[in-house]
Amino acid sequence: DIGWIEVVCGPMFSGKTEELIRRVKRAVYGKQRVQVFKPKVDDRYDETQVVSHSQLKLTSTPIERAEEIFYHLSADTQVVGIDEVQFFGPEVVQVCEALAYRGVRVICAGLDQDYQGRPFEPMPQLLAVAEYVTKQLAICVVCGNPANRSQRLVSSEARVVVGAAGAYEARCRRCHLGEPTEA
Ligand code: ADP
Ligand code: MG
Ligand code: ZN
């Protein structure tokens, strides 16, 4: 069997999780064996479920490090989904590649930019080795144009501040501010 890597990227609210769920559900309808993982830090809505902002849900296994996928992986799994992939370290790239070499279809969803519009590692590396890349856009809440950035609304300079509605909003390049608005 031949495997490959698909990456769905874009800012917050661009429908990355919805798209991951759509692809996973289609694979399940196709009688394929699927496993979904997400980083433990993302406990916004639910500890085990992947949940989109529009409340679509998918059962997943929360893990701390990408390598843990190998411990949980069943021998007959054909499709692996990973949400919030930007929260894993650089080793997630090798993990995805190893899965693809084993014949697994790997579907990753994650932010390609941080709250300051900088490339969010390890996304650039993952995008480079992926067979398929889908870049999604949200709608800028300020002007209505297509939005490729996530505006942080709470004041923190940490790169990772896990938060749903309220902590971030989708903004276009023109309306995005480099600093948190509250600061
Ligand atoms: P992501 O995983 O990229 O953060 P989700 O798949 O969880 O996105 O949620 C996408 C959904 O968020 C959209 O279908 C829509 O219902 C909702 N949404 C909220 N704010 C916006 C926005 N500014 N632009 C587009 N969709 C938005
Ligand atoms: Mg998401
Ligand atoms: Zn705008």
Side-chain angles (χ1 to χ4, degrees):
D1 284 12
I2 183 132
W4 63 83
I5 301 171
E6 302 169 27
V7 182
V8 180
C9 68
M12 289 189 67
F13 305 103
S14 65
K16 302 180 300 297
T17 299
E18 279 178 355
E19 179 60 17
L20 173 71
I21 292 173
R22 188 186 74 83
R23 293 185 193 187
V24 163
K25 286 192 172 164
R26 283 165 58 90
V28 171
Y29 280 124
K31 308 248 189 293
Q32 302 203 303
R33 305 276 308 191
V34 182
Q35 283 183 273
V36 178
F37 299 91
K38 71 168 194 176
K40 225 169 228 172
V41 290
D42 176 31
D43 56 2
R44 285 176 294 177
Y45 295 105
D46 194 283
E47 271 176 41
T48 56
Q49 303 216 81
V50 165
V51 185
S52 78
H53 291 113
S54 49
Q55 296 298 311
L56 293 174
K57 289 175 187 167
L58 206 64
T59 300
S60 71
T61 305
I63 52 174
E64 267 165 41
R65 296 175 317 112
E67 295 93 322
E68 292 171 43
I69 289 175
F70 296 120
Y71 306 133
H72 295 284
L73 195 71
S74 304
D76 58 354
T77 291
Q78 296 157 292
V79 179
V80 165
I82 309 173
D83 199 15
E84 301 289 357
V85 70
Q86 80 282 348
F87 286 157
F88 291 110
E91 67 286 348
V92 75
V93 180
Q94 282 76 44
V95 170
C96 290
E97 290 216 273
L99 291 168
Y101 278 119
R102 283 195 197 183
V104 174
R105 171 187 174 196
V106 185
I107 311 169
C108 299
L111 294 167
D112 50 1
Q113 296 178 27
D114 69 8
Y115 75 104
Q116 292 183 303
R118 295 172 303 198
F120 206 145
E121 291 84 22
M123 254 344 213
Q125 291 73 21
L126 199 56
L127 290 167
V129 301
E131 273 82 357
Y132 302 97
V133 171
T134 306
K135 182 148 176 162
Q136 310 208 126
L137 296 163
I139 301 297
C140 175
V141 299
V142 177
C143 75
N145 280 326
N148 68 333
R149 301 249 176 102
S150 309
Q151 180 69 53
R152 182 175 289 176
L153 303 172
V154 294
S155 79
S156 165
E157 273 156 38
R159 194 172 213 190
V160 176
V161 172
V162 178
Y168 294 92
E169 63 188 23
R171 296 222 190 157
C172 73
R173 180 187 294 280
R174 204 183 42 168
C175 299
H176 181 266
L177 308 167
E179 300 301 318
T181 40
E182 206 187 86

